[in-house]
Amino acid sequence: MSATTTATAADPLELFRRYTVEGKTIEYLDADGNPSDLLKAATVRFGEDASFPRDTPTRYSRGNSDSDQYTLSALLHFFSHRDQSFYEYMKTTNTLGLQTVSFSDRGSLLDYITGKTDKFGGADNATAVAGEKHASSDAAGDGRRTRLRTGEADGAGGESGLSADSANDVAREVMRRERSLVSTSSALSSGKSFAHVQDLIKELFPSKSAVDAKNKASSASGSKAENGASRRKSSHRKRRDPIIVVPAAATAMLNMYNIQELLQNHNFVDNRALLEQGGQKPREIFVEHVMPSTGQNMRFRVVDSVQDFGEADWNSLVCVFTQGAAWQFKNWIWKSPEEVFQNCLGMYPKHQDEQPKESTRTWGISPLDIERNKRHMDRATVV
């Protein structure tokens, strides 16, 4: 079997998974066939099984598009940097000019590659045909895609060119290639419980009676245990979202009162006006944002305290808004503001005619200039 035939018939994603699970070595070769690293490699070789061009598309789709797949080099680079924070990993891939595996794909992809699960969101293992979009006909040598024969008659088969058996064969082949991602039945029978949603709503928007009830010391211990379990489930769910931290100070230009209006609705509102309305400060906010690179709708979790952060939360931290006060980072896992902003994006909101604090010049943060009165400029500022 020739090298070309091997690469055509084999599945780079499946080989990557098998070699990872079995602990086998994946080789990187330059254009001359000499050992190299991933960035300088022209070919990725899976032992005697197959070799592929470094940037061969795999079956894992990016975002919501079935026509855009992660390349083999993107998956290999992601796996070798899987222990980095998402922000640090994103900076590395952008610097090297490689595809970035999105935050929402990281967990399912890692579980699949390491053998923890047999399926993931980007492909259907039972029906996908690896390399189908890039297969070529070795016999013809003209690069044309091999087509499904549909029983063309040479004259004896009638004008239709398809017998009943041939038509059935075609139908079966089409059905075999279909990919069923989700159906009404599978969604309704997923086994997931949404019992914690009611507790979460009560926690975020407590009524007066709920607050009074919470202050009563006679709450049943069984109810406390149930609520605690519900909050832990909710916390586990929320850690799937990338996290943004804003200042907790009421005098900060951006805080929990007005950050959603700016990031999601592209409109800056002075938080003093909101404070005067007597609104209650939320514990957390979820902001929707469409990623320009993939068109994928991403949800961000916004908080102003890291007191309850665990390892998964720190790894999910992607951005911090600061007013230049070093005390904001007290009890963080990083010891200085400079170290904080080496691990996540830093934004310094200020009016356009103001100068940033002198102490922030070494922090490595970016100014977010907001017009004092021209609200029509807010969208351009955020986007």
Side-chain angles (χ1 to χ4, degrees):
M1 181 179 293
S2 66
T4 303
T5 304
T6 303
T8 300
D11 182 348
L13 184 59
E14 286 300 311
L15 283 174
F16 179 26
R17 180 177 187 263
R18 179 159 65 85
Y19 270 58
T20 300
V21 172
E22 297 177 1
K24 293 183 177 180
T25 301
I26 300 173
E27 300 173 273
Y28 305 130
L29 307 177
D30 62 19
D32 298 324
N34 299 317
S36 177
D37 57 29
L38 178 61
L39 296 180
K40 298 177 182 178
T43 303
V44 177
R45 184 167 68 188
F46 294 89
E48 298 298 325
D49 292 305
S51 296
F52 301 91
R54 190 195 73 164
D55 295 322
T56 298
T58 67
R59 291 185 293 114
Y60 198 105
S61 299
R62 300 178 66 198
N64 298 321
S65 173
D66 290 335
S67 62
D68 187 12
Q69 287 81 28
Y70 287 118
T71 62
L72 180 58
S73 60
L75 300 188
L76 289 166
H77 180 263
F78 157 70
F79 188 74
S80 64
H81 293 78
R82 60 190 180 278
D83 294 328
Q84 285 184 324
S85 68
F86 180 71
Y87 177 71
E88 192 67 25
Y89 160 73
M90 186 172 58
K91 286 199 303 182
T92 303
T93 54
N94 289 340
T95 301
L96 299 178
L98 296 174
Q99 283 181 341
T100 300
V101 174
S102 71
F103 188 91
S104 58
D105 288 335
R106 286 165 63 93
S108 59
L109 182 57
L110 190 59
D111 286 346
Y112 180 76
I113 292 174
T114 56
K116 292 181 179 179
T117 181
D118 292 332
K119 290 188 177 182
F120 53 88
D124 184 334
N125 300 321
T127 60
V129 180
E132 181 176 311
K133 293 184 179 180
H134 304 277
S136 60
S137 172
D138 291 334
D142 58 0
R144 292 176 298 176
R145 180 182 298 175
T146 303
R147 294 177 296 177
L148 178 70
R149 296 182 62 85
T150 55
E152 296 90 345
D154 293 330
E159 293 183 359
S160 68
L162 278 176
S163 66
D165 290 340
S166 297
N168 290 335
D169 290 341
V170 172
R172 281 194 294 270
E173 180 65 15
V174 171
M175 293 177 66
R176 186 183 70 81
R177 297 190 182 199
E178 288 182 344
R179 298 190 301 174
S180 178
L181 299 180
V182 66
S183 66
T184 303
S185 298
S186 64
L188 293 176
S189 61
S190 65
K192 294 182 179 179
S193 172
F194 295 92
H196 63 277
V197 173
Q198 184 175 2
D199 294 328
L200 181 60
I201 293 175
K202 291 179 179 179
E203 184 177 344
L204 293 179
F205 307 101
S207 62
K208 184 177 183 302
S209 59
V211 173
D212 293 339
K214 186 176 180 180
N215 292 333
K216 291 182 179 179
S218 58
S219 298
S221 59
S223 177
K224 289 183 178 179
E226 182 179 349
N227 290 338
S230 178
R231 283 193 293 269
R232 285 193 296 272
K233 291 179 182 178
S234 178
S235 176
H236 178 72
R237 172 183 57 78
K238 289 179 286 191
R239 285 174 185 171
R240 298 175 182 271
D241 301 315
I243 296 174
I244 298 173
V245 175
V246 298
T251 56
M253 189 172 186
L254 289 175
N255 54 25
M256 295 295 287
Y257 288 98
N258 61 352
I259 188 66
Q260 185 173 28
E261 186 66 20
L262 180 67
L263 295 185
Q264 185 163 294
N265 301 326
H266 307 146
N267 180 48
F268 173 73
V269 178
D270 193 326
N271 56 37
R272 291 175 297 183
L274 300 175
L275 284 170
E276 291 174 358
Q277 296 176 8
Q280 184 178 7
K281 185 181 77 170
R283 291 181 56 190
E284 61 184 1
I285 295 171
F286 294 97
V287 176
E288 303 283 344
H289 180 68
V290 177
M291 305 303 292
S293 58
T294 64
Q296 185 178 11
N297 193 33
M298 180 73 75
R299 189 176 77 160
F300 293 85
R301 176 189 173 201
V302 184
V303 297
D304 65 356
S305 173
V306 299
Q307 181 177 354
D308 298 325
F309 268 28
E311 182 180 357
D313 298 299
W314 289 113
N315 289 335
S316 300
L317 180 60
V318 295
C319 181
V320 174
F321 285 82
T322 180
Q323 288 298 116
W327 58 261
Q328 180 182 355
F329 310 108
K330 184 179 180 181
N331 298 325
W332 284 43
I333 62 172
W334 300 296
K335 303 304 181 184
S336 65
E338 289 83 357
E339 190 177 357
V340 169
F341 296 115
Q342 288 174 2
N343 291 276
C344 63
L345 177 67
M347 301 300 298
Y348 184 90
K350 66 181 185 64
H351 287 301
Q352 192 174 34
D353 55 357
E354 293 178 337
Q355 293 296 321
K357 292 182 179 179
E358 186 67 27
S359 60
T360 65
R361 294 190 181 276
T362 62
W363 289 10
I365 57 181
S366 302
L368 184 68
D369 293 325
I370 299 175
E371 293 280 353
R372 289 186 181 274
N373 301 309
K374 301 176 182 178
R375 296 280 65 81
H376 65 281
M377 298 294 293
D378 291 340
R379 184 178 185 85
T381 299
V382 177
V383 177

